[in-house]
Amino acid sequence: MPLVLNASDPAAIEQAALRLAAGGLVGMPTETVYGLAADAGNASAVGGIFAAKGRPSDHPLIVHIPPVADGDWRAAVAPLARDVPDFAVALMNAFWPGPLTLILPRRPGVAAVAAGGQDSVGVRCPAHPVAQALLAAARAHGVLGVAAPSANRFGRVSPTTAAHVAEEFAALGDEQLLILDGGACPVGIESTIVDGSRGFPVLLRPGMVTPAQIEAACGLPLRERDETAPRASGTLASHYAPRARVRLMDAGPLQTALDLLGAQARHIAVYARSPLRAAGGVHLRRMPDDAAQTAQELFAVLRELDATGVKLIWVETPPAGADWDGVRDRLQRAAA
Ligand code: TXA
Ligand code: MG
């Protein structure tokens, strides 16, 4: 089993930083989801991430950097990025530290394995105090940036607690994986990703930072992604999938189906905002009315419902509106 340490102990942070510096893997809490972290400058350490996740090695990883005291983000990303457009700096100023990843033209020879062969690099400064402490401590040991995809096996639901990470990588021993337990992630879904490598901002993955916020912060229209966008595994149609089949339905048809099935609906779990009636024994779980609250619990709820052994998870389609974009995107992929 992986080693799980309480992140409120400063000695645990230092132990995790030493693991990173030695080329090991660390389960790192961030404000979005837990990441599976390794030294972005160490090719074999980064190879360990791909191997543990079962992720194809041409799928690029995000490099995480610690916050800067002077707020000079352009200088902070300069060791990784060869060119940082003004609109990207405006976005860093507005949203860093926080749940926004920027794809920037990569400095040749830097973080090549982490970038999965792309000539760009994804960079993010997380807002979580444990992630920040770990990144700063690792830097003191010579680690400039930490590559970290979500700490789940390829194609599975992202982890939002240390227990989820331990479950995903139960096959790894305590010397192969150290997990810092920083509690449940407050955002709950992965960062918004904006491509800043093409001269204009392009949305690659929706998240809690919305298009309207992005456009307001940089004063440019945010384009939708198209076929020319770089590969992003979080953008595969089928991703974030629990074992059970997920289906999105409106409240009306959901109620009709539950009425028809009666007690036979016991092999189905339901996650819905609307108050629904179901026969005894049916797993009914209420979805919050608030998008941020739903995002926070979404992956944990999918894991919980999956663990009941049901074959189907029926989810009420989230409402229209940009604040639900991130949740809707993850649910559509879970259902694909
Ligand atoms: O919130 C998050 O972003 C979390 C936490 C741990 O920071 N990380 C995360 O990583 O979600 P991951 O690997 O599960 O998703 C990162 C996404 C992938 O879809 C990847 O393809 C994309 O970012 N990405 C990273 N670098 C890229 C690049 N150079 N070009 C295009 N896409 C890139
Ligand atoms: Mg992921």
Side-chain angles (χ1 to χ4, degrees):
M1 282 295 285
L3 176 63
V4 182
L5 297 179
N6 188 329
S8 58
D9 177 5
I13 303 280
E14 181 60 15
Q15 197 177 335
L18 287 170
R19 285 255 185 144
L20 290 175
L25 295 178
V26 171
M28 170 178 75
T30 81
E31 76 278 31
T32 56
V33 301
Y34 274 71
L36 185 64
D39 177 359
N42 180 332
S44 83
V46 174
I49 296 178
F50 288 106
K53 276 187 66 101
R55 174 161 165 156
S57 59
D58 60 346
H59 284 214
L61 310 176
I62 296 169
V63 178
H64 298 70
I65 59 170
V68 287
D70 59 2
D72 187 350
W73 294 114
R74 188 186 288 279
V77 300
L80 292 164
R82 76 182 129 78
D83 177 33
V84 189
D86 290 342
F87 73 81
V89 177
L91 294 178
M92 295 177 208
N93 286 335
F95 303 111
W96 280 10
L100 177 78
T101 295
L102 283 160
I103 310 299
L104 298 168
R106 185 167 58 86
R107 199 173 278 291
V110 175
V113 179
Q118 311 271 349
D119 56 9
S120 58
V121 61
V123 193
R124 171 164 116 79
C125 176
H128 198 287
V130 173
Q132 294 186 347
L134 176 64
L135 292 166
R139 183 162 283 195
H141 294 293
V143 176
L144 293 183
V146 165
S150 51
N152 53 278
R153 283 165 297 138
F154 185 62
R156 312 305 303 185
V157 176
S158 293
T160 55
T161 68
H164 294 163
V165 182
E167 197 179 293
E168 287 290 317
F169 300 106
L172 296 185
D174 55 2
E175 261 144 49
Q176 293 168 294
L177 177 61
L178 184 163
I179 302 168
L180 284 176
D181 186 351
C185 302
V187 174
I189 59 172
E190 304 84 347
S191 59
T192 302
I193 304 182
V194 172
D195 185 2
S197 70
R198 295 199 277 165
F200 47 86
V202 181
L203 181 67
L204 296 187
R205 180 172 71 184
M208 287 317 285
V209 177
T210 64
Q213 291 175 310
I214 291 165
E215 294 183 336
C218 71
L220 292 172
L222 179 65
R223 302 202 198 173
E224 291 288 317
R225 70 186 299 276
D226 57 30
E227 324 70 55
T228 66
R231 181 198 303 269
S233 63
T235 60
L236 295 177
S238 163
H239 210 70
Y240 312 110
R243 266 176 294 273
R245 301 190 60 148
V246 176
R247 199 167 152 198
L248 285 171
M249 297 164 81
D250 289 334
L254 240 170
Q255 184 62 68
T256 306
L258 287 173
D259 289 343
L260 280 172
L261 285 171
Q264 290 176 57
R266 274 196 299 263
H267 64 288
I268 300 172
V270 179
Y271 185 42
R273 284 181 324 287
S274 306
L276 300 173
R277 297 173 312 274
V282 177
H283 302 273
L284 266 185
R285 175 85 190 227
R286 194 72 183 266
M287 184 189 287
D289 291 320
D290 175 66
Q293 254 174 285
T294 305
Q296 200 278 327
E297 69 170 37
L298 179 66
F299 290 142
V301 168
L302 287 179
R303 277 173 189 270
E304 237 172 77
L305 296 180
D306 212 16
T308 62
V310 293
K311 300 252 174 1
L312 293 167
I313 302 175
W314 285 353
V315 181
E316 183 179 351
T317 312
D323 50 336
W324 286 89
D325 281 355
V327 167
R328 198 178 315 102
D329 170 78
R330 302 315 185 274
L331 282 171
Q332 280 166 349
R333 290 178 206 292

